[in-house]
Amino acid sequence: MTVTNQRVAVNPCLDANASLGIDEACFSILNKNNRSVELYSQLSDCFLCKYVSLATLPAEENTTLVVPTKFPMNVFYMLNNQSYCSQMFNFKEHGSYGWNISAKEDCSIYTIRESINSYLPIFAAFMVYVLLTILFATAKVIVRVVKGKLSPDNVRDDLDNLQEAEAPNLIVRTNRSSTRIHSVDTFRGIAILLMIFVNNGGGKYVFFNHSAWDGLTVADLVLPWFAWIMGLSITISKRSELRVANSRCKIILRCLQRAIILVLLGLMLNSFHSASKSGYSLKDLRFPGVLQLLAVSYFVCATIETIFLRTHSQDGVLQFGRFTILRDILNNWAQWLIILAITTTHTLIMFYLPVPNCPTGYLGPGGYANNGTLPNCTGGAAGYIDRLVFGSHMYARTKDPVYGTILPHDPEGIMSTISIILVVYMGVHAGKILLMYYQCNAKVTRWLLWSFVIGLIAGILCKFQKEFGLIPVNKRMMSLSFNLTVSCFAFLLYALLHFLIDHKQYWSGAPFIYAGLNPITLYVGHTITTGLFPWAWKLSHPTHWSYLAMNLWTTTLWGVIAYWLYLKDIIISV
């Protein structure tokens, strides 16, 4: 948690020439007691945390602090070893608040100056994009109308066209993107463009950034959604490869080749980031990463699917009688046994692996959590394994804005990679439903049932609460409840996209479908160009307005690049 008292001799709450930063407010405290007191606070998002000292308040003086506004804050002061005036207050950005504290009087926090509306930029950006969409759609309609009007030569042209259409040798022109499943590319495009947006800052909004620890935000969805749709693509690609009589061993070797390329790309991106830091050397190179996690989970699921996948002619061999409705599951019972075994092994390790000086089964962040009694237990068994295996070759950030000083913990570490295999295989199974059933109602019904069932299981595991469940929803740990929750939303979203795009054809999937054709290219490109003009620039006066505008520009520019690749019929695959 960051609280500023005298920011390098300049307090923006006291200096008219200085300005508050993003998610900051002024807090003026008048200590009416005849002796100095110690002010303490705790952010609401910091679960079971110890209170942190903010400042010492001199007797009968006014002290002005700069406080964070991302989360509600519980504040109180100590006098004679007793706490007073404890209350939870939601400070708002650029607001000014007052607090008169006394052991004998009411000490409610009051507003001196109203805050700004920090969410207005989101509404404005939404309206701009809606307006641009309407203008673009209108322009397309006008162009079609103009092209459709008859000119003096149009009658002859139409006759010629009719004669050509009746000719026996009809030429149908296709390109690489026209033969793809549009809902799949649209889903993938949504995931990659959202990933680019949140990776660049997400306008510095809390819900466009990852959760402090437990919980779920928009940013937490993007990576598992990308993994989920990767699983769906595995089903389509492996069945196609088997149809052309490819050897299963050759297919597995090709999967291994792709996984190795992704790992090398991931290491390259990690080294690119590290190279910008002074004193960089190979001993600091981070081994885990997003592409590494995707590579390993892809190889595991693709290999399992290649070994056990039935050819199209074998799908109807088994008869299940009254259980025919479950044939998409029963046809693949061997794969599911392996996936459940992997998931069970991961869960048992997380809950029963002994971690030195830490309680068995601990899933917390350490630091201030648990009243500061377990500062060296960050990530429990997952963090312990990563620190043991990778040493300095992992995510090394130890300063957390909510939980204070924590041990290094890698969100794409070994245990997270093992855990996300379940998400990838959920996508694999969604692909089986897509290919196995012909009627849209049958597909959508099954996707919705999967969404409901695994969502219910996730809710039971976390008790439909943020922290108090058996297995909290946690992206940094890739917990079982988290994987089931994001898969629940993935099934739901894909069912909607399939219905709108593939079945009813109400929507072409634009503009997301273009990004979905070259997702790895966009991911690598945006990672390398982070902070570089024209994608981004240094802001002299950062606000939510300026950050949101820049981050949306970055995302839009990559969307334009994806559209250009589509027009050139360029699809770069690994």
Side-chain angles (χ1 to χ4, degrees), residues 157-171:
D157 291 341
D158 290 343
L159 180 60
D160 292 340
N161 291 337
L162 180 61
Q163 291 173 344
E164 291 175 3
E166 292 175 348
N169 297 322
L170 182 63
I171 299 176

Side-chain angles (χ1 to χ4, degrees), residues 24-276:
E24 289 184 342
C26 295
F27 190 28
S28 298
I29 308 161
L30 176 60
N31 179 15
K32 292 186 175 182
N33 297 287
N34 57 7
R35 57 182 296 184
S36 63
V37 299
E38 196 72 19
L39 180 67
Y40 290 87
S41 75
Q42 180 194 68
L43 296 179
S44 64
D45 223 48
C46 196
F47 180 61
L48 296 178
C49 288
K50 70 175 184 179
Y51 289 92
V52 180
S53 175
L54 290 185
T56 300
L57 308 177
E60 299 179 346
E61 289 187 19
N62 189 78
T63 304
T64 301
L65 308 174
V66 178
V67 294
T69 62
K70 284 188 176 182
F71 309 103
M73 179 187 294
N74 189 12
V75 291
F76 68 93
Y77 72 91
M78 295 291 294
L79 180 62
N80 297 326
N81 294 323
Q82 185 174 351
S83 63
Y84 293 91
C85 297
S86 177
Q87 57 184 296
M88 183 72 71
F89 193 81
N90 187 13
F91 295 96
K92 296 184 178 180
E93 186 178 23
H94 292 189
S96 182
Y97 303 91
W99 199 28
N100 302 330
I101 58 175
S102 170
K104 300 179 181 180
E105 300 178 13
D106 175 64
C107 48
S108 298
I109 297 175
Y110 56 92
T111 302
I112 299 174
R113 184 182 68 247
E114 290 293 339
S115 62
I116 63 173
N117 186 349
S118 58
Y119 301 110
L120 183 60
I122 297 178
F123 176 75
F126 174 76
M127 294 306 297
V128 168
Y129 275 90
V130 169
L131 179 60
L132 290 175
T133 301
I134 293 174
L135 291 176
F136 182 74
T138 303
K140 287 182 66 176
V141 172
I142 292 175
V143 169
R144 289 176 182 174
V145 171
V146 171
K147 285 185 175 181
K149 288 184 177 180
L150 292 178
S151 64
D153 297 327
N154 276 353
V155 175
R156 183 176 181 84
D157 291 341
D158 290 343
L159 180 60
D160 292 340
N161 291 337
L162 180 61
Q163 291 173 344
E164 291 175 3
E166 292 175 348
N169 297 322
L170 182 63
I171 299 176
V172 179
R173 294 183 179 180
T174 63
N175 54 32
R176 297 180 67 185
S177 61
S178 63
T179 57
R180 299 167 67 97
I181 300 176
H182 292 178
S183 59
V184 175
D185 287 328
T186 302
F187 188 107
R188 192 185 294 112
I190 291 173
I192 190 62
L193 289 180
L194 194 57
M195 185 182 294
I196 292 173
F197 176 66
V198 300
N199 284 354
N200 279 275
K204 297 298 180 182
Y205 287 101
V206 174
F207 41 83
F208 288 139
N209 285 271
H210 295 295
S211 302
W213 195 256
D214 294 331
L216 189 69
T217 66
V218 175
D220 296 328
L221 296 172
V222 291
L223 176 57
W225 274 5
F226 195 88
W228 188 91
I229 200 64
M230 180 180 69
L232 192 150
S233 301
I234 288 174
T235 303
I236 299 171
S237 62
K238 299 314 156 196
R239 176 163 296 198
S240 299
E241 291 177 30
L242 282 177
R243 281 179 176 174
V244 296
N246 278 342
S247 165
R248 293 179 190 257
C249 290
K250 288 184 178 179
I251 295 175
I252 293 175
L253 288 176
R254 195 176 296 120
C255 293
L256 178 60
Q257 179 186 14
R258 186 181 189 219
I260 291 174
I261 293 174
L262 287 174
V263 168
L264 293 176
L265 279 174
L267 291 174
M268 180 193 74
L269 296 180
N270 287 353
S271 66
F272 179 82
H273 283 305
S274 299
S276 62

Side-chain angles (χ1 to χ4, degrees), residues 393-542:
H393 297 285
M394 60 181 289
Y395 200 67
R397 183 177 296 175
T398 57
K399 292 293 184 180
D400 188 271
V402 173
Y403 289 98
T405 302
I406 61 175
L407 290 184
H409 170 260
D410 205 303
E412 285 86 43
I414 294 174
M415 297 304 292
S416 294
T417 302
I418 296 174
S419 178
I420 207 170
I421 289 173
L422 175 64
V423 177
V424 177
Y425 199 77
M426 288 283 185
V428 170
H429 193 79
K432 292 179 183 296
I433 294 173
L434 177 67
L435 299 180
M436 184 174 293
Y437 298 95
Y438 297 101
Q439 293 184 339
C440 178
N441 289 343
K443 300 176 185 179
V444 171
T445 299
R446 282 167 173 80
W447 287 326
L448 293 180
L449 281 174
W450 271 94
S451 177
F452 173 77
V453 171
I454 62 179
L456 180 62
I457 296 173
I460 293 172
L461 290 176
C462 69
K463 291 187 178 179
F464 294 95
Q465 299 180 48
K466 185 177 178 180
E467 283 102 1
F468 293 99
L470 175 63
I471 304 179
V473 174
N474 188 303
K475 188 268 176 188
R476 294 175 185 255
M477 303 279 288
M478 293 288 180
S479 66
L480 177 58
S481 58
F482 171 80
N483 290 335
L484 293 175
T485 300
V486 295
S487 297
C488 160
F489 290 133
F491 274 108
L492 186 63
L493 176 60
Y494 186 75
L496 179 63
L497 293 178
H498 178 76
F499 179 78
L500 294 177
I501 297 173
D502 297 333
H503 180 58
K504 291 295 186 179
Q505 298 183 355
Y506 291 149
W507 179 33
S508 66
F512 303 106
I513 191 171
Y514 311 126
L517 296 171
N518 286 287
I520 299 299
T521 303
L522 265 62
Y523 178 79
V524 173
H526 104 272
T527 303
I528 293 176
T529 59
T530 297
L532 300 180
F533 186 83
W535 290 273
W537 51 89
K538 184 177 181 179
L539 298 172
S540 55
H541 299 288

Side-chain angles (χ1 to χ4, degrees), residues 279-296:
Y280 161 71
S281 66
L282 286 177
K283 69 177 184 180
D284 302 316
L285 177 63
R286 180 191 176 205
F287 288 166
V290 171
L291 293 183
Q292 294 89 314
L293 175 142
L294 292 174
V296 174

